[in-house]
Amino acid sequence: MTANNMADPRRPSKIFRYKPPNTETNPTLEDPTPDYMNLLGMVFSMCGLMLKLKWCAWIAVYCSFISFANSRSSEDTKQMMSSFMLSISAVVMSYLQNPQPMSPPW
Amino acid sequence: FKLFCALCICPLGRYNDDFDDGEDIAEFDDNDFAEFEDVSEDPAVDVEKEPPPRAAPSSTPIEDDEDEATVENEDGQDEFEDADAQDQDMYSKYDNEEFEGYEKTNPSFKNTLIYREVPAHLQNSWESYYMEILMVTGLLAYIMNYIIGKNKNSRLAQAWFNSHRELLESNFALVGDDGTSKEATSTGKLNQENEHIYNLWCSGRVCCEGMLIQLKFLKRQDLLNVLARMMRPACDQVQVKVTLNDEDMDTFVFAVGSRKAMARLQKEMQDLSEFCGDKPKSGAKYGVPESLSILSEMGEVTDGVMDNKMVHYLTSHAEKIESIHFSDQFSGPKVMQEEGQPLKLPETKKTLLFTFNVPGMGNTSPKDMDSLLPLMNMVIYSIDKVRKLRLNREGKQKADRNRARVEENFLKQTHTQRQEAAQTRREEKKRAEKERIMNEEDPDRQRRLEEAAQRREQKKLEKKQMKMKQIKVKAM
């Protein structure tokens, strides 16, 4: 019996459950990229809609994609979808109002 | 301008299909064409072409029936034929009178012919939309990279788990737990936090509370990150955090790792900065490669940790070791101090923290995961070793003094803040009591509460006075 215990380090009686680390107390643990990109995407899509700038709308689409790629699984998909839809609508609206192709800045 | 209009209208007037256009053009002044009607043979409005003069008279009645128009055409033709014979005479007649200076204007008229560009979106070509096509291609590339990167990370994680599963299952009763299920049963799989971070919680072993393994892969799913990594190479990391019970570890702080990592940790980590004040020592003194350096609370700790087996592990896997950190005062990185925030010492936990670099510098293949297995063996060995490592009496005293010193420093720093906090708390209490007294309906009870509060105040004052007297007596 003792030999078995010594050889086997496992102790089912000493099991502790997993507790996800509390990110409120330690904000450095969290990666801020998805939140920043989300915000940036919304800002650019609003710019694109209001100022009728096509390139703003396209950048907004990119931002929402980047935000999605970096997001955590625990994050709400609704937020992602809403920012994505907003950026797509910005692109569509820009082209409906002005079907001319985008001109490069150079 | 009139001539130009005529030019435009004439070709249109010829084709009866362009009825609508003709109607639009009919908006032009009839007077514009009155000129040409009178001169029925049609002077060369356009010196270059013949047809325009023929078509000009037909343009006015174009708003009417097709038939009429054709008839008119024929009429025009007839007239033209008639005119043909007298061509020379006519032109000579007009040349002098009506076309004075005409030839001069004609060339300039030719030069001022403006070709309006058809707006790009009305052109039937996709080429004008090349920026949009570029954008969409970029998005598609991003999506492709996302899928490929996600799959690669997933395969790497699975490969790691497959090679380590046996070792973990033989050491821990619980392998894999996400904390959500009611029963503490092993899920037997990794917990995916992100597309690039995988967690695994193991528990149920002697000498430790639990072990959290984090596979921190590179963000292969994000194209921006991939491009950034082309400039600045980075590697995947495996981070192992073992939390210990109080009896599992004696009081010491120790760290060993690459020189860069040690320099960084000494600045970042709360406990290393407080307890290991000296600069990191080179590992060569203890038999490990020069590339590793050591931070320690005291020499005895280093001697205790760096036994032969440990030295062997460190030497053979030096390039994979980023940092190894043993601490009984582990509280994570230094938290940025806000105004009046840290009134208590940060909570500490006895922890062993290992950070390993996966070989390959980003270009990892699932096979590379096997090379991390010896490092996991080292982790297990360290857990058992730390349990057995006890400081001698001197060491213990030193360690206790260190901890007391750190605590004192902290209390001194926050002294004023704590005083203020205590003051505000006392005031709050008083105010709350007063409010209670005021809100009390029954006047009797009110009086009684007031009296009780007064008595309490009296007692406090008396106590204070006693203390002061005692201090005075002692001073004397």
Side-chain angles (χ1 to χ4, degrees), chain B residues 22 27-28 36 39 67 72 179 191 267 270 364 367 416 432:
Chain B
E27 288 168 20
F28 286 118
F36 305 134
V39 187
D67 292 338
E72 283 302 310
N191 191 13
K267 271 182 258 165
Q270 178 86 11
T364 1
K367 288 195 291 283
T416 38

Side-chain angles (χ1 to χ4, degrees), chain B residues 142-396:
Chain B
Y142 193 91
I143 294 171
M144 289 294 294
N145 179 71
Y146 174 80
I147 296 172
I148 294 172
K150 186 169 89 117
N151 284 338
K152 171 112 194 237
N153 278 348
S154 173
R155 271 184 296 131
L156 285 173
Q158 208 48 48
W160 180 91
F161 190 53
N162 289 338
S163 65
H164 288 71
R165 183 198 293 262
E166 215 181 293
L167 176 67
L168 292 172
E169 281 179 351
S170 64
N171 271 292
F172 291 91
L174 175 74
V175 174
D177 182 25
D178 55 7
T180 53
S181 58
K182 267 203 245 169
E183 299 264 327
T185 44
S186 298
T187 58
K189 56 180 179 156
L190 297 163
N191 191 13
Q192 185 174 8
E193 192 179 299
N194 246 334
E195 300 300 344
H196 62 284
I197 297 183
Y198 291 81
N199 290 341
L200 185 71
W201 172 254
C202 305
S203 185
R205 191 187 192 276
V206 285
C207 312
C208 73
E209 220 178 72
M211 176 167 83
L212 179 67
I213 305 173
Q214 270 197 324
L215 302 176
K216 290 187 171 164
F217 293 129
L218 302 167
K219 288 189 186 175
R220 292 187 177 83
Q221 80 276 10
D222 180 13
L223 187 61
L224 278 185
N225 207 283
V226 170
L227 297 171
R229 264 189 297 118
M230 289 184 187
M231 317 286 169
R232 204 161 32 112
C235 53
D236 303 303
Q237 284 191 338
V238 176
Q239 197 178 68
V240 182
K241 185 171 173 182
V242 185
T243 39
L244 305 162
N245 294 317
D246 278 335
E247 67 271 13
D248 295 330
M249 183 175 172
D250 207 349
T251 55
F252 64 88
V253 176
F254 173 82
V256 61
S258 71
R259 265 176 293 162
K260 250 190 180 175
M262 285 297 105
R264 185 174 41 89
L265 286 179
Q266 193 175 29
K267 271 182 258 165
E268 272 181 15
M269 289 295 179
Q270 178 86 11
D271 50 351
L272 287 175
S273 60
E274 283 173 353
F275 292 96
C276 306
D278 304 327
K279 264 173 51 175
K281 294 197 201 87
S282 164
K285 285 188 212 155
Y286 294 91
V288 284
E290 183 69 33
S291 58
L292 298 176
S293 52
I294 298 172
L295 277 172
S296 174
E297 194 178 350
M298 53 188 113
E300 188 198 333
V301 169
T302 320
D303 293 329
V305 172
M306 301 294 257
D307 61 353
N308 287 334
K309 202 156 180 199
M310 200 67 175
V311 169
H312 172 73
Y313 273 125
L314 290 172
T315 317
S316 44
H317 304 284
E319 74 284 355
K320 296 194 206 95
I321 293 172
E322 170 85 0
S323 70
I324 296 176
H325 180 185
F326 300 166
S327 173
D328 72 310
Q329 299 281 316
F330 183 78
S331 59
K334 281 191 201 171
V335 184
M336 288 317 294
Q337 308 276 328
E338 285 175 28
E339 277 303 314
Q341 276 284 46
L343 294 178
K344 289 192 303 178
L345 271 172
E347 263 185 50
T348 59
K349 189 94 179 108
K350 297 198 175 182
T351 313
L352 311 179
L353 193 60
F354 302 80
T355 309
F356 302 130
N357 294 328
V358 176
M361 205 64 179
N363 295 328
T364 1
S365 72
K367 288 195 291 283
D368 292 327
M369 291 304 171
D370 292 333
S371 60
L372 294 172
L373 196 56
L375 293 169
M376 195 53 65
N377 280 321
M378 180 176 79
V379 170
I380 305 287
Y381 172 75
S382 304
I383 297 173
D384 291 325
K385 180 178 184 55
V386 157
R387 178 68 141 90
K388 285 180 262 171
L389 181 64
R390 300 287 154 184
L391 300 167
N392 61 19
R393 204 157 48 102
E394 244 181 68
K396 193 85 178 82

Side-chain angles (χ1 to χ4, degrees), chain B residues 77-204:
Chain B
Q77 273 180 3
D78 289 340
E79 285 170 23
F80 192 68
E81 277 163 25
D82 286 340
D84 231 317
Q86 303 156 26
D87 233 5
Q88 291 293 358
D89 293 343
M90 278 203 309
Y91 281 136
S92 57
K93 207 199 307 178
Y94 291 115
D95 260 354
N96 299 328
E97 295 162 11
E98 297 215 7
F99 300 107
E100 273 172 23
Y102 183 75
E103 274 164 41
K104 285 185 199 159
T105 57
N106 205 21
S108 62
F109 173 70
K110 266 195 268 183
N111 291 340
T112 57
L113 191 64
I114 304 164
Y115 290 96
R116 292 278 171 221
E117 243 184 66
V118 179
H121 66 284
L122 297 174
Q123 292 171 14
N124 276 334
S125 76
W126 289 110
E127 286 165 6
S128 50
Y129 284 94
Y130 68 94
M131 280 298 284
E132 281 75 13
I133 292 172
L134 261 173
M135 288 292 195
V136 172
T137 317
L139 276 179
L140 285 175
Y142 193 91
I143 294 171
M144 289 294 294
N145 179 71
Y146 174 80
I147 296 172
I148 294 172
K150 186 169 89 117
N151 284 338
K152 171 112 194 237
N153 278 348
S154 173
R155 271 184 296 131
L156 285 173
Q158 208 48 48
W160 180 91
F161 190 53
N162 289 338
S163 65
H164 288 71
R165 183 198 293 262
E166 215 181 293
L167 176 67
L168 292 172
E169 281 179 351
S170 64
N171 271 292
F172 291 91
L174 175 74
V175 174
D177 182 25
D178 55 7
T180 53
S181 58
K182 267 203 245 169
E183 299 264 327
T185 44
S186 298
T187 58
K189 56 180 179 156
L190 297 163
N191 191 13
Q192 185 174 8
E193 192 179 299
N194 246 334
E195 300 300 344
H196 62 284
I197 297 183
Y198 291 81
N199 290 341
L200 185 71
W201 172 254
C202 305
S203 185

